[in-house]
Coordinates of all heavy atoms in Angstrom, one line a residue:
F97 N 201.1 27.2 17.7 CA 200.4 27.3 19.1 C 200.0 25.9 19.4 O 200.2 25.4 20.6 CB 199.2 28.2 19.0 CG 198.3 28.0 20.2 CD1 198.6 28.6 21.4 CD2 197.1 27.2 20.2 CE1 197.9 28.4 22.6 CE2 196.4 27.1 21.2 CZ 196.7 27.7 22.5
S98 N 199.3 25.2 18.6 CA 198.8 23.8 18.8 C 200.0 22.8 19.1 O 199.9 22.1 20.1 CB 198.0 23.3 17.7 OG 196.9 24.1 17.5
M121 N 191.1 19.0 27.4 CA 191.4 20.4 27.0 C 190.2 21.3 27.3 O 189.1 21.0 27.1 CB 191.8 20.4 25.5 CG 193.0 19.5 25.2 SD 193.3 19.6 23.4 CE 191.9 18.6 22.8
S122 N 190.6 22.6 27.5 CA 189.6 23.6 27.6 C 190.2 25.0 27.1 O 191.4 25.1 27.2 CB 189.0 23.7 29.0 OG 188.1 24.8 29.1
V124 N 190.3 26.0 24.1 CA 190.9 26.0 22.7 C 189.7 25.9 21.6 O 188.7 25.4 22.0 CB 191.8 24.7 22.4 CG1 193.0 24.8 23.4 CG2 191.1 23.4 22.8
T125 N 190.0 26.4 20.5 CA 189.0 26.3 19.4 C 189.0 24.9 18.9 O 189.9 24.0 19.2 CB 189.4 27.3 18.2 OG1 190.7 26.8 17.6 CG2 189.6 28.7 18.7
D126 N 188.0 24.5 18.0 CA 187.9 23.2 17.5 C 189.1 22.9 16.7 O 189.6 21.7 16.8 CB 186.5 23.2 16.6 CG 185.3 23.1 17.5 OD1 185.4 22.9 18.7 OD2 184.2 23.4 16.9
S127 N 189.6 23.9 15.9 CA 190.8 23.5 15.0 C 192.0 23.3 15.9 O 192.8 22.4 15.6 CB 191.0 24.7 14.0 OG 191.2 25.8 14.5
E128 N 192.2 24.1 17.0 CA 193.3 24.0 17.8 C 193.2 22.5 18.5 O 194.3 21.9 18.5 CB 193.4 25.1 18.9 CG 193.7 26.5 18.4 CD 193.5 27.5 19.3 OE1 192.8 27.4 20.3 OE2 194.0 28.6 19.1
A129 N 192.0 22.2 19.0 CA 191.8 21.0 19.7 C 192.2 19.8 18.8 O 192.8 18.9 19.2 CB 190.4 20.8 20.2
E130 N 191.8 19.9 17.5 CA 192.0 18.9 16.6 C 193.6 18.8 16.3 O 194.1 17.6 16.3 CB 191.3 19.1 15.3 CG 191.5 17.9 14.2 CD 191.0 16.6 14.7 OE1 190.1 16.5 15.6 OE2 191.6 15.6 14.2
Q131 N 194.3 19.8 16.1 CA 195.7 19.7 15.9 C 196.4 19.3 17.2 O 197.3 18.4 17.1 CB 196.2 21.2 15.6 CG 195.8 21.6 14.3 CD 196.3 23.1 13.9 OE1 196.7 23.8 14.8 NE2 196.1 23.5 12.7
I132 N 196.0 19.6 18.4 CA 196.6 19.2 19.6 C 196.4 17.6 19.7 O 197.2 16.9 20.1 CB 196.0 20.0 20.9 CG1 196.5 21.3 20.8 CG2 196.5 19.2 22.1 CD1 195.7 22.3 21.7
R133 N 195.1 17.2 19.5 CA 194.7 15.8 19.5 C 195.6 15.0 18.6 O 196.1 13.9 19.0 CB 193.2 15.6 19.0 CG 192.3 15.1 20.0 CD 191.0 14.7 19.5 NE 190.3 15.8 18.7 CZ 189.5 16.7 19.2 NH1 189.3 16.8 20.4 NH2 189.0 17.6 18.4
L134 N 195.8 15.4 17.3 CA 196.7 14.7 16.4 C 198.1 14.7 16.9 O 198.7 13.5 16.8 CB 196.6 15.4 15.1 CG 195.3 15.3 14.3 CD1 195.3 16.1 13.0 CD2 195.0 13.8 13.9
T135 N 198.6 15.7 17.4 CA 200.0 15.7 17.9 C 200.2 14.8 19.1 O 201.1 14.0 19.2 CB 200.5 17.1 18.2 OG1 200.3 18.0 17.1 CG2 201.9 17.2 18.7
L136 N 199.3 14.9 20.0 CA 199.4 13.9 21.2 C 199.2 12.5 20.9 O 199.8 11.6 21.5 CB 198.4 14.4 22.3 CG 198.7 15.8 22.9 CD1 197.6 16.1 23.9 CD2 200.0 15.7 23.7
A143 N 193.2 12.8 23.6 CA 193.0 14.1 24.1 C 191.5 14.5 23.6 O 191.1 13.9 22.5 CB 193.9 15.2 23.5
A144 N 190.8 15.1 24.4 CA 189.4 15.5 24.2 C 189.1 16.8 24.8 O 189.8 17.1 25.8 CB 188.4 14.4 24.6
T145 N 188.1 17.6 24.4 CA 187.7 18.7 25.1 C 187.0 18.4 26.4 O 186.5 17.3 26.5 CB 186.8 19.6 24.2 OG1 185.7 18.9 23.8 CG2 187.6 20.3 23.0

Side-chain angles (χ1 to χ4, degrees):
F97 169 78
S98 298
M121 301 176 287
S122 181
V124 293
T125 65
D126 290 342
S127 63
E128 289 169 342
E130 184 59 26
Q131 290 176 350
I132 294 166
R133 242 189 310 272
L134 289 171
T135 302
L136 289 174
T145 54

